[in-house]
Amino acid sequence: MIHNHKIFIGLVSTFLFFTSSSIAQQTLYGEQPNSQETLRAIQSTYLDGEISLEQKVLYQLYAGLDVKALPSTYKTHQTAPIKCGLPAIREYQGNKDQLSQATIDKVQAILRRSTQAQETYRSPSGKFEIHYDVSGANAVPAGDTNPSNGIPDYVDWAAAAADSSWRHQIQRLGYTDPVDGSNPYPIYIENINSYGYTDYGYNRGLSTDTYIVIHKNYDDFPENDDPEGNQKGALKVTIAHELKHAIQYANSEWYGWPENPESPHGTDWSEMDATMMEEVVYDNVNDYYNYIGEGGSSLFVSNNHSIPVAYDGVTWFIYFWERYGEEFWPGVWSRIQQQFQQQRNRTNPDYLTMKGAITQTLQEEYEDSFEIAFAESHLWHYASGINYSRDGYGFNESANYPSPTINSRLTARDIFENDSVLAMGAKYITVDKESDLQGYLKMLAEYQDQDIQIGLIGFYDDGSVDTIIRKGDIHSGFKLTTPWNWEAITHAGIVVTNSGKSELLGYNLAFSPFASDGTEVAQNYPNPFNPTTTIEFGLLQQSHVQLSVYNVAGQKVSTLKDEILPAGVYEVPFDGRNLASGVYFYRLVTDQRVIVKKMTLIK
């Protein structure tokens, strides 16, 4: 049984906590080849002023398209092929007006270095034309198990993958078709140092808007799960990936980038989208596993990394796909296309950001909010891997994903801790069970920013889970007694998310269980208060209860309770409108214990 309660209430960026200790990152995966390390090194030396913009543009292209030309300083970082060469090409396009003609000529030589291929083959659908060589530097593998057609198997695979990807993405999902009905779409097979790339057609003197290049054999590429082998698996997902880039261009011409970094066609957004399509079209290949494990910036490894985050963040896109259905992303891209057309027609000068398109789709099609979905997406990431995944909740492949990095590990003993979370990032907390705990897990919160959300997940002994999500309202607070009895759960997980633009939002987190002797008193909320506040306490057994308020001189100013009460949780309002500003104390006396806490009235 899966418990799936959602509570949408105001929340703040202060919260009560226990002890915290960071734990070592745990994943199912060993160290993965990091295809982005070279590009990061080039970017770093550029920002440090060690290389010019012209060198940066060239070196990024060399890394994916012509690694022999890359300076030896960067070759030491080249531990794996570049995932996609398109970001480097678009960086060139975005900076072209700042480059010398000599640099432009070098780039064009790279992009056009393969002259007319020796052979061509039309795919069975007739929609794609595969350009390939059987000898020389770009030669495809010679194997041919179907000699009757005289086409190498590798070329047959590429043609079949192109047709399959087109059927899935265009016919089934309804994305914009990049294939001109009168001309086949060109795919080139070449000797490059990346899985593949999509480029503007005019860079190669073609009449088509875009074209695709894929690797000539995928030998020595990272492993994948394709039952037909790594080589065929890499080829399949590359064509699915690059065709999605072609679709993005057909949809809205990669508009808004680099002028607007939040554009849907920003490098990270478009790469997350294209990498997700690998999983959608070829579910059993799982090449993207190479980017979500140790050594990257995935939400499992680095959950406080801001979204978007290119290939490593693909599971964030997969969340929306699996949570809302296969119509979700086509709906998002339909809105992007509509906005682009309005901008082109000068009826709407604004860019629609990817976040804006997602928000609109959630609101208009699913009556949901971005803030709640953002928190839930992190709950899905939290509930993954060998330590936290549970059947029936979260990702379809959650058990195969890495276990998440836990930023803090707590015990339920009312200890406070301050922390902060990046914009479009999250922090993960685990609350461990202690043997003497009784009652229900409870929290109080105060905060000042509506961009904070908190998601909670309780892990029951029977293997089921229950989730609660609360989002923020300005200048509000909340208290919550969960339905999770410590006797029935193994532990609880918390995700604190920041779905806004503020670079860093602070929070103060905490949880409060019933005390082991059966009596517990929460901090009043709000605190400070004016003029009213609420005091909450819990009993695990029947008791005579006295709840009173005193001033700093020890004088009783109010008796709120003086009666026998059964076990349960009680909320008692207190009105201080007739009292002066200052510090007051509330005192709970039960048959088991006496508890005193402080509160502040500010008028």
Side-chain angles (χ1 to χ4, degrees):
M1 175 180 62
I2 298 297
H3 310 274
N4 193 20
H5 304 291
K6 278 191 178 180
I7 304 175
F8 306 147
I9 297 182
L11 179 147
V12 225
S13 55
T14 342
F15 211 70
L16 312 165
F17 250 29
F18 318 141
T19 70
S20 82
S21 61
S22 63
I23 62 171
Q25 172 180 308
Q26 298 173 349
T27 75
L28 290 175
Y29 301 42
E31 184 72 25
Q32 298 295 333
N34 189 347
S35 66
Q36 299 305 100
E37 189 175 343
T38 305
L39 300 180
R40 293 190 187 111
I42 294 169
Q43 176 72 2
S44 177
T45 52
Y46 169 70
L47 293 176
D48 290 341
E50 297 176 22
I51 61 174
S52 66
L53 175 64
E54 306 220 3
Q55 289 172 308
K56 173 192 171 186
V57 168
L58 277 174
Y59 295 168
Q60 288 180 154
L61 286 165
Y62 289 156
L65 277 61
D66 189 11
V67 72
K68 291 182 180 179
L70 189 67
S72 58
T73 304
Y74 301 107
K75 287 180 181 178
T76 59
H77 297 280
Q78 197 85 347
T79 57
I82 301 298
K83 179 62 174 171
C84 178
L86 177 58
I89 293 171
R90 292 178 62 200
E91 177 110 4
Y92 158 68
Q93 294 290 155
N95 291 290
K96 194 172 181 179
D97 60 350
Q98 302 180 56
L99 304 178
S100 67
Q101 188 59 49
T103 296
I104 292 173
D105 290 344
K106 289 180 181 179
V107 172
Q108 291 301 319
I110 296 171
L111 297 177
R112 298 191 183 191
R113 70 187 185 284
S114 175
T115 56
Q116 185 66 35
Q118 298 170 2
E119 308 288 344
T120 60
Y121 173 63
R122 189 74 62 90
S123 71
S125 72
K127 295 184 178 298
F128 297 90
E129 188 163 71
I130 315 299
H131 300 255
Y132 66 100
D133 289 339
V134 293
S135 62
N138 293 326
V140 299
D144 186 3
T145 57
N146 181 24
S148 62
N149 69 357
I151 304 299
D153 289 341
Y154 192 83
V155 177
D156 277 329
W157 298 346
D163 283 348
S164 175
S165 294
W166 186 90
R167 286 192 299 270
H168 201 123
Q169 298 186 54
I170 307 305
Q171 284 190 327
R172 175 176 173 177
L173 300 177
Y175 285 114
T176 304
D177 193 351
V179 179
D180 182 344
S182 59
N183 295 296
Y185 187 94
I187 297 177
Y188 293 84
I189 301 177
E190 297 178 359
N191 184 21
I192 53 179
N193 194 55
S194 60
Y195 280 76
Y197 64 89
T198 308
D199 187 16
Y200 303 88
Y202 58 76
N203 276 336
R204 192 165 285 208
L206 302 174
S207 59
T208 55
D209 289 333
T210 59
Y211 67 95
I212 289 172
V213 176
I214 65 172
H215 195 272
K216 69 173 186 174
N217 56 33
Y218 294 102
D219 289 343
D220 301 321
F221 272 61
E223 294 183 358
N224 57 63
D225 293 337
D226 194 315
E228 297 183 281
N230 293 333
Q231 183 186 55
K232 198 167 184 179
L235 182 150
K236 291 174 183 176
V237 296
T238 300
I239 290 179
H241 182 117
E242 299 305 334
L243 183 61
K244 189 59 172 70
H245 282 318
I247 290 170
Q248 292 166 356
Y249 185 90
N251 176 276
S252 39
E253 297 183 6
W254 298 334
Y255 88 103
W257 189 92
E259 300 89 352
N260 186 339
E262 297 181 1
S263 162
H265 294 292
T267 296
D268 286 345
W269 286 123
S270 62
E271 292 301 329
M272 289 167 73
D273 180 52
T275 307
M276 176 195 67
M277 199 51 58
E278 300 176 14
E279 171 71 353
V280 170
V281 179
Y282 294 110
D283 180 42
N284 64 348
V285 176
N286 298 324
D287 185 80
Y288 73 98
Y289 282 10
N290 290 301
Y291 301 93
I292 62 174
E294 186 176 346
S297 300
S298 76
L299 300 190
F300 305 103
V301 175
S302 181
N303 43 59
N304 201 29
H305 195 298
S306 296
I307 293 293
V309 57
Y311 321 106
D312 299 5
V314 59
T315 48
W316 194 74
F317 266 50
I318 291 173
Y319 156 78
F320 287 95
W321 181 267
E322 294 184 358
R323 171 66 174 80
Y324 295 99
E326 65 179 23
E327 301 86 3
F328 181 83
W329 285 113
V332 169
W333 281 100
S334 177
R335 285 169 171 78
I336 293 168
Q337 184 176 46
Q338 182 180 15
Q339 185 85 359
F340 167 69
Q341 291 171 347
Q342 291 174 351
Q343 188 184 53
R344 170 181 274 180
N345 297 333
R346 300 185 178 181
T347 58
N348 188 342
D350 296 329
Y351 286 117
L352 179 62
T353 66
M354 178 60 82
K355 181 179 175 182
I358 294 171
T359 300
Q360 286 184 15
T361 304
L362 286 169
Q363 291 174 343
E364 297 171 12
E365 301 298 329
Y366 302 92
E367 297 182 352
D368 214 340
S369 73
F370 180 85
E371 295 81 9
I372 294 301
F374 189 70
E376 187 179 59
S377 72
H378 279 281
L379 283 176
W380 279 35
H381 283 84
Y382 182 103
S384 294
I386 57 175
N387 296 324
Y388 297 102
S389 63
R390 296 293 185 273
D391 289 343
Y393 179 78
F395 293 108
N396 294 337
E397 299 177 20
S398 62
N400 297 331
Y401 288 167
S403 294
T405 295
I406 303 302
N407 304 111
S408 295
R409 201 162 201 118
L410 314 176
T411 57
R413 294 303 178 198
D414 289 327
I415 296 178
F416 299 82
E417 176 177 310
N418 293 312
D419 208 338
S420 57
V421 58
L422 288 171
M424 293 292 284
K427 287 291 183 69
Y428 293 1
I429 300 113
T430 293
V431 185
D432 288 318
K433 181 177 180 177
E434 295 185 15
S435 59
D436 62 346
L437 288 180
Q438 302 178 52
Y440 298 87
L441 178 65
K442 185 176 70 65
M443 85 167 71
L444 299 175
E446 299 173 348
Y447 57 97
Q448 294 91 27
D449 200 296
Q450 62 185 348
D451 287 334
I452 291 285
Q453 301 82 38
I454 293 181
L456 303 92
I457 181 168
F459 293 83
Y460 281 79
D461 291 333
D462 65 4
S464 64
V465 300
D466 186 17
T467 63
I468 299 170
I469 299 174
R470 295 200 169 191
K471 72 172 185 174
D473 291 324
I474 296 177
H475 302 307
S476 65
F478 80 85
K479 52 80 187 161
L480 169 67
T481 299
T482 74
W484 310 337
N485 191 306
W486 279 111
E487 295 180 355
I489 65 173
T490 60
H491 64 283
I494 318 296
V495 299
V496 183
T497 61
N498 173 1
S499 64
K501 293 183 179 180
S502 298
E503 186 61 28
L504 201 64
L505 290 179
Y507 63 86
N508 201 355
L509 276 187
F511 292 88
S512 180
F514 284 100
S516 58
D517 66 0
T519 304
E520 186 271 346
V521 179
Q523 184 64 48
N524 64 299
Y525 62 91
N527 186 45
F529 66 96
N530 177 28
T532 60
T533 189
T534 299
I535 298 168
E536 183 183 33
F537 63 90
L539 304 172
L540 281 184
Q541 55 187 290
Q542 178 177 289
S543 177
H544 183 269
V545 173
Q546 291 179 320
L547 179 61
S548 305
V549 178
Y550 297 81
N551 62 23
V552 292
Q555 299 168 321
K556 184 186 291 187
V557 298
S558 180
T559 297
L560 304 179
K561 286 286 183 183
D562 187 0
E563 58 186 295
I564 296 174
L565 296 174
V569 177
Y570 297 88
E571 297 177 4
V572 182
F574 174 65
D575 191 333
R577 71 181 67 248
N578 296 323
L579 300 175
S581 296
V583 173
Y584 293 85
F585 298 89
Y586 53 100
R587 180 173 182 260
L588 180 75
V589 180
T590 71
D591 295 339
Q592 289 77 37
R593 65 188 306 199
V594 177
I595 303 172
V596 179
K597 291 199 174 186
K598 182 172 66 174
M599 60 184 175
T600 304
L601 171 62
I602 298 178
K603 291 186 175 181

